[in-house]
Amino acid sequence: MKKINISRKTRNILLGLCICTAVLMIGAGLLKYIHTIDIHTLGRRVYVYGLKVSGLTEQEAARKIADTFNNRKISFQEERKEIKSVSLKELGYTLDENFLKVQLKTLKQQRDQERELFPPRRDYRILYRINREESREKEVLNSDNFNNVERMASVDAAIRYDEEKMAFILIKDVQGNQIDNVKLQKYTDQILEKEFKENLLNGEVKI
C-alpha cells in the first residue's frame, strides 16, 4: 500500500483550518446562546436591588425577588441578644409578585432596546409594592410571645413612709423591661420602612 506523504506546510495548513473551524463553531454556538438568553430572559449581568436575576424570565425573576424578600430574617434583640426571630412573611409582610411581573416586563422591553454583545453589570431599582397583613403583625408582636425573658414593670422614684421604721424611705427608680405592644409595632414599622428604602432584599434586619 502506497504511503501518502504530507509536507509540514500542508499539515500546518490543515491544522490551522481545523482550529479555525472549531473556533467558528464555538463562536456560533456562543452567539446562539447569547441570542437565546437575550430574547427569552431578562438578559445577562442583570441585578435587581443587588439580587442576581440574569438568565431568568420575568416570571422566574419575580418569584425569586418575592421569595428573597419574604424570607428575610427579622431578629428582635434585647441587650444585644436575640430573643425572637421571624421572617418578613411570618410578620405579615410580602412583596406583590404580580406587580413585580409588570415592572420586570417593562424592564425587559427597555433592555431589548439597549441590547449589547458584552453588557456591563447593571443593578436596577424597580418599583415594588409591599402587602402588609396588620392582624398577623399584631399577633406576632404580642408581648406574650416575648416571655422567654423575665419581665418586670418599671418603678418610678418616690418617697414613702415606713410605719414600722417610722421613717420616710427613698424608693429608687427602676427601669423595667415589659413590652408595650403598640410601641413595639410602631417601632418595628419605622425600622422596616427605613430598611426597605435603603436595602430591600439583602441581609438580616435587627430590631
Side-chain angles (χ1 to χ4, degrees), residues 49 72 125 194-203 205:
Y49 291 99
R72 279 191 79 179
R125 296 176 65 87
K194 181 181 178 182
E195 177 69 21
F196 296 154
K197 289 179 181 178
E198 297 175 355
N199 180 18
L200 182 67
L201 300 176
N202 300 307
V205 182

Side-chain angles (χ1 to χ4, degrees), residues 34-54:
I34 290 174
H35 179 74
T36 301
I37 291 295
D38 287 346
I39 290 294
H40 298 292
T41 74
L42 292 173
R44 294 160 288 136
R45 308 196 71 189
V46 187
Y47 292 75
V48 173
Y49 291 99
L51 181 68
K52 185 178 180 181
V53 292
S54 305

Side-chain angles (χ1 to χ4, degrees), residues 5-17:
N5 293 321
I6 301 176
S7 68
R8 179 177 295 180
K9 183 178 180 180
T10 302
R11 284 201 304 268
N12 289 339
I13 292 173
L14 292 174
L15 180 60
L17 289 173

Side-chain angles (χ1 to χ4, degrees), residues 146-195:
F146 293 84
N147 284 334
N148 52 334
V149 174
E150 187 176 352
R151 302 288 170 191
M152 58 183 294
S154 297
V155 177
D156 293 330
I159 297 177
R160 296 179 184 173
Y161 183 74
D162 190 320
E163 294 183 354
E164 292 182 1
K165 297 181 180 180
M166 299 181 66
F168 287 96
I169 298 175
L170 174 64
I171 306 298
K172 293 182 179 181
D173 183 63
V174 177
Q175 180 65 46
N177 61 353
Q178 287 186 330
I179 293 176
D180 184 307
N181 292 347
V182 175
K183 288 183 179 179
L184 176 59
Q185 183 175 342
K186 184 178 180 180
Y187 180 69
T188 299
D189 292 342
Q190 290 174 345
I191 293 295
L192 290 179
E193 183 179 358
K194 181 181 178 182
E195 177 69 21

Side-chain angles (χ1 to χ4, degrees), residues 121-169:
R121 168 176 168 157
R122 288 195 173 93
D123 194 355
Y124 297 92
R125 296 176 65 87
I126 63 174
L127 296 176
Y128 59 86
R129 180 184 294 157
I130 296 175
N131 297 322
R132 181 180 167 214
E133 193 175 338
E134 191 171 355
S135 59
R136 177 177 291 187
E137 184 180 13
K138 285 183 177 179
E139 181 181 347
V140 172
L141 298 182
N142 189 290
S143 59
D144 292 339
N145 297 323
F146 293 84
N147 284 334
N148 52 334
V149 174
E150 187 176 352
R151 302 288 170 191
M152 58 183 294
S154 297
V155 177
D156 293 330
I159 297 177
R160 296 179 184 173
Y161 183 74
D162 190 320
E163 294 183 354
E164 292 182 1
K165 297 181 180 180
M166 299 181 66
F168 287 96
I169 298 175

